[in-house]
């Protein structure tokens, strides 16, 4: 079965069948005849032939920092919901938070045929920006803001600031467990939000609240456990721990439980991200909910709009958040 036979059975021209297969205009009456023949014959057009005709691969490259991340999986879920309905397939590139791997996959997608790219990045170097400029297909950045590109990102500064303001009202000595400020979102913006809240609280409480301890860790529970241990060895009178992520907060909670430090009576604790584990540990973790799945949907819709229009107009969406006060804070 080929396109000529479909045209003969449907009593239409070959050009009409071609337009139908490539989503061009076909009258409703002819569309129904072609559809009926295809269903009855089980005709399946060659994807390679379609690609040659339309210059479309129906493939989207999605670069992710890690697979074993609840937030990332929620973003990818949102992306897939939108793009699969439009016949696109996702090529997931897992970089394990490795800059060299990110650059490698950018090069791969630049050299191989994908219709577009969604980049869930963490740190953008000069080399990242150089490669992105060379890519000819539309690119959407998810989870970060990058000048000159369409982005869907989170209000990290205000989320961290509002969370910290609530905890610091009853704090005397706080520690902030953050990540590298090279990461603009989770690192730079959340750290600045905490510091802004602490400055504001100092202006209200004066000497009642001490200078905060600032400790940098990575994104793992194991590292957070060790950094929490380090913090209490330096300052045993800490009464508040605010963390850049829920994963870091869970690592801190493990240390507190091990040392029989009561939460929140002796030390209150909070994270950011609303990971599922934070709602099942004891006490349940105060956190900030980000709409990760919705952000994935928005990023996919943004990319789809560029693909359908052929116009790569730069757009930005800053996602909202919701503060969730649970049992780990006073």
């Amino acid at each position: 079965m080929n396109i000529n036979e479909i045209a003969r059975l449907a009593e239409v021209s070959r050009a009409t069948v071609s337009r139908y297969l490539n989503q061009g205009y076909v009258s409703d009456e002819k569309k129904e005849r072609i559809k009926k023949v295809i269903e009855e014959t089980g005709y399946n057009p060659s994807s390679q032939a379609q690609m040659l005709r339309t210059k479309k691969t129906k493939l989207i490259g999605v670069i992710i920092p890690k697979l074993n991340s609840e937030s990332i999986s929620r973003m990818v879920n949102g992306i897939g919901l939108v793009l699969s309905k439009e016949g696109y397939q996702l090529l997931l590139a897992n970089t394990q938070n490795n800059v060299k791997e990110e650059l490698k996959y950018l090069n791969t997608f630049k050299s191989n045929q994908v219709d577009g790219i969604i980049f869930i990045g963490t740190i953008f170097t000069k080399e990242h920006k150089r490669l992105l400029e060379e890519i000819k297909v539309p690119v959407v950045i998810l989870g970060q803001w990058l000048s000159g590109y369409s982005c869907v990102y989170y209000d990290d500064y205000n989320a961290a600031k509002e969370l910290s303001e609530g905890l610091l009202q009853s704090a005397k000595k706080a520690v902030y467990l953050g990540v590298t400020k090279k990461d603009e979102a989770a690192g730079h913006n959340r750290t600045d939000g905490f510091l802004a809240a602490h400055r504001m609280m100092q202006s209200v409480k004066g000497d009642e609240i001490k200078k905060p301890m600032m400790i940098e860790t990575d994104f793992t529970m194991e590292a957070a456990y060790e950094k929490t241990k380090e913090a209490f060895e330096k300052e045993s009178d800490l009464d508040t721990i605010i963390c850049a992520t829920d994963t870091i907060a869970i690592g801190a909670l493990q240390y507190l439980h091990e040392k029989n430090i009561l939460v929140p009576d002796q030390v209150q604790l909070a994270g950011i991200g609303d990971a599922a584990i934070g709602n099942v540990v004891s006490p349940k973790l105060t956190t900030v909910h980000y709409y990760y799945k919705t952000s994935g949907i928005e990023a996919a819709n943004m990319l789809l709009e560029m693909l359908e229009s052929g116009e790569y107009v730069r757009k930005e969406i800053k996602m909202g958040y919701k503060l969730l006060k649970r049992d780990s804070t006073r």
Side-chain angles (χ1 to χ4, degrees):
M1 181 63 63
N2 57 40
I3 193 170
N4 291 323
E5 292 169 326
I6 294 291
R8 179 178 59 80
L9 292 171
E11 298 180 340
V12 297
S13 70
R14 186 184 188 283
T16 301
V17 177
S18 179
R19 285 199 304 273
Y20 173 87
L21 293 174
N22 294 303
Q23 289 81 50
Y25 173 75
V26 177
S27 69
D28 290 342
E29 185 263 333
K30 290 181 180 179
K31 190 182 295 183
E32 285 302 314
R33 279 158 43 194
I34 297 170
K35 180 181 178 184
K36 183 180 179 182
V37 171
I38 289 174
E39 289 175 347
E40 289 176 350
T41 61
Y43 173 71
N44 186 21
S46 163
S47 59
Q48 186 175 15
Q50 282 190 316
M51 185 186 78
L52 290 171
R53 288 193 301 270
T54 65
K55 309 299 182 184
K56 299 283 186 183
T57 66
K58 305 299 281 188
L59 298 175
I60 301 297
V62 182
I63 300 175
I64 63 175
K66 54 185 174 180
L67 280 172
N68 60 337
S69 165
E70 184 182 335
S71 60
I72 299 300
S73 66
R74 282 152 63 184
M75 292 182 214
V76 172
N77 186 17
I79 293 168
L81 283 175
V82 173
L83 294 178
S84 63
K85 289 180 181 177
E86 301 301 323
Y88 288 92
Q89 297 181 55
L90 305 185
L91 297 178
L92 290 182
N94 178 28
T95 67
Q96 295 291 352
N97 275 316
N98 186 303
V99 170
K100 290 183 179 179
E101 287 295 299
E102 290 180 345
L103 296 173
K104 181 184 80 174
Y105 282 119
L106 279 174
N107 261 315
T108 298
F109 289 145
K110 182 183 72 142
S111 304
N112 294 274
Q113 290 182 326
V114 293
D115 293 341
I117 298 171
I118 296 178
F119 189 5
I120 307 176
T122 54
I123 299 171
F124 293 106
T125 65
K126 289 181 180 179
E127 186 65 13
H128 281 93
K129 294 171 185 176
R130 184 188 67 77
L131 281 175
L132 285 167
E133 288 176 359
E134 294 175 358
I135 292 172
K136 304 304 181 185
V137 296
V139 176
V140 173
I141 307 297
L142 176 54
Q144 298 275 355
W145 180 88
L146 182 62
S147 177
Y149 290 88
S150 291
C151 306
V152 180
Y153 61 104
Y154 310 106
D155 193 357
D156 291 288
Y157 174 85
N158 284 310
K161 184 172 181 290
E162 184 177 344
L163 174 73
S164 301
E165 285 172 355
L167 272 72
L168 294 176
Q169 288 179 11
S170 61
K172 291 184 178 179
K173 182 70 175 179
V175 57
Y176 180 76
L177 294 180
V179 297
T180 174
K181 294 189 80 171
K182 292 179 181 178
D183 183 323
E184 189 72 19
H188 186 276
N189 292 340
R190 294 181 195 179
T191 299
D192 283 2
F194 166 79
L195 290 172
H198 199 279
R199 286 194 298 270
M200 186 190 71
M201 200 54 60
Q202 275 189 319
S203 68
V204 174
K205 299 173 69 173
D207 292 339
E208 186 181 339
I209 185 168
K210 307 301 181 184
K211 181 180 178 180
M213 182 185 294
M214 306 294 293
I215 294 181
E216 184 178 302
T217 182
D218 63 27
F219 289 91
T220 66
M221 293 182 193
E222 295 77 12
Y225 174 95
E226 292 300 327
K227 292 299 183 179
T228 305
K229 177 182 178 182
E230 177 185 313
F232 276 87
E233 287 174 350
K234 291 179 179 178
E235 302 277 356
S236 61
D237 59 343
L238 293 170
D239 64 5
T240 299
I241 305 174
I242 299 173
C243 303
T245 73
D246 281 359
T247 301
I248 294 171
I250 298 301
L253 184 62
Q254 289 177 329
Y255 176 82
L256 296 174
H257 282 334
E258 184 179 291
K259 296 301 179 181
N260 296 315
I261 298 173
L262 299 178
V263 180
D265 297 352
Q266 291 175 267
V267 175
Q268 58 181 340
L269 174 69
I272 294 175
D274 190 20
I277 191 174
N279 203 29
V280 296
V281 294
S282 180
K284 293 182 178 181
L285 185 66
T286 290
T287 186
V288 176
H289 177 80
Y290 280 164
Y291 300 92
Y292 289 120
K293 181 178 177 180
T294 304
S295 70
I297 290 172
E298 294 289 357
N301 280 325
M302 193 179 284
L303 182 64
L304 196 60
E305 184 179 337
M306 288 190 281
L307 290 170
E308 291 178 345
S309 68
E311 298 178 359
Y312 303 163
V313 179
R314 180 177 173 274
K315 293 185 178 180
E316 290 182 11
I317 297 177
K318 182 190 284 188
M319 301 295 297
Y321 62 88
K322 180 168 65 175
L323 187 63
L324 300 177
K325 190 176 188 306
R326 297 184 181 135
D327 301 334
S328 67
T329 51
R330 295 188 283 272

